[in-house]
Amino acid sequence: MQKLLRQTLMVPANMPVAPNYTDAASFKRLYDSMLDRAVDEAMPRFSASLADFAHGGPHYQLGQDAARAAIVPPVALVLTLVCVWTAFSFMQNGITRSDLFQQMSRADTCRDDESLGEAMRRRVLANIAHVVVVGQAYTYPFNEAVRTHVLGGLRFGYHGS
């Protein structure tokens, strides 16, 4: 039985194997010791000094590839979101053209008793409202499809008509 166990699990010859394993805890001891040995053998391959990743070092290209893989996706996401935000900021729809919305979001008029910070805050809030109003027309159909088909018609506690 030990020979079959050693061959199947690739247990090294110098590692003790019990004649039988009657419970999971005793087998876990064998597994843990095999795992510890595998980690000890693999660690030198994953350990490198900072100089190894410097220009001209043996792992320079690996470090460059890892940096690109870590940096490019978030930068691409941020740039995409900025582009979408900018596009929605300049788009108009029936709501943003309405007199009520125009009156509410008058960000271009400056009040005499208003500080620069207050004026900027008012402009930012007006832009956020504008982007939400315009973006809702594009995102609602997708969000509704997710709610209806993926989430099984979840109503989020709303029971109106």
Side-chain angles (χ1 to χ4, degrees):
M1 183 62 162
Q2 284 190 0
K3 183 177 180 181
L4 176 64
L5 191 60
R6 282 186 186 283
Q7 287 174 344
T8 305
L9 298 177
M10 295 182 277
V11 178
N14 62 350
M15 190 172 289
V17 176
N20 61 16
Y21 291 96
T22 56
D23 61 355
S26 60
F27 186 75
K28 186 174 179 345
R29 284 191 295 273
L30 174 65
Y31 174 79
D32 287 345
S33 61
M34 288 179 58
L35 181 63
D36 290 343
R37 181 176 178 172
V39 168
D40 290 342
E41 289 174 356
M43 277 306 290
R45 292 184 312 178
F46 299 110
S47 298
S49 69
L50 188 58
D52 289 346
F53 293 97
H55 189 67
H59 300 305
Y60 174 74
Q61 190 58 46
L62 181 65
Q64 291 295 307
D65 294 344
R68 280 188 200 97
I71 294 169
V72 169
V75 169
L77 177 62
V78 166
L79 291 177
T80 300
L81 292 174
V82 166
C83 289
V84 168
W85 188 275
T86 303
F88 283 172
S89 292
F90 291 102
M91 294 172 77
Q92 297 286 328
N93 64 15
I95 296 171
T96 59
R97 283 190 297 269
S98 72
D99 289 337
L100 178 62
F101 190 85
Q102 291 296 318
Q103 184 180 6
M104 180 198 77
S105 64
R106 291 259 187 258
D108 52 347
T109 57
C110 187
R111 298 179 192 147
D112 294 335
D113 63 339
E114 184 174 55
S115 71
L116 180 61
E118 290 171 333
M120 290 299 292
R121 186 171 28 253
R122 195 167 38 84
R123 285 183 154 211
V124 168
L125 291 174
N127 182 256
I128 290 171
H130 184 99
V131 168
V132 168
V133 167
V134 171
Q136 183 72 5
Y138 294 95
T139 60
Y140 179 79
F142 172 76
N143 293 338
E144 182 64 9
V146 168
R147 184 192 71 79
T148 305
H149 302 294
V150 176
L151 299 176
L154 186 65
R155 296 177 62 90
F156 299 103
Y158 177 73
H159 300 293
S161 54

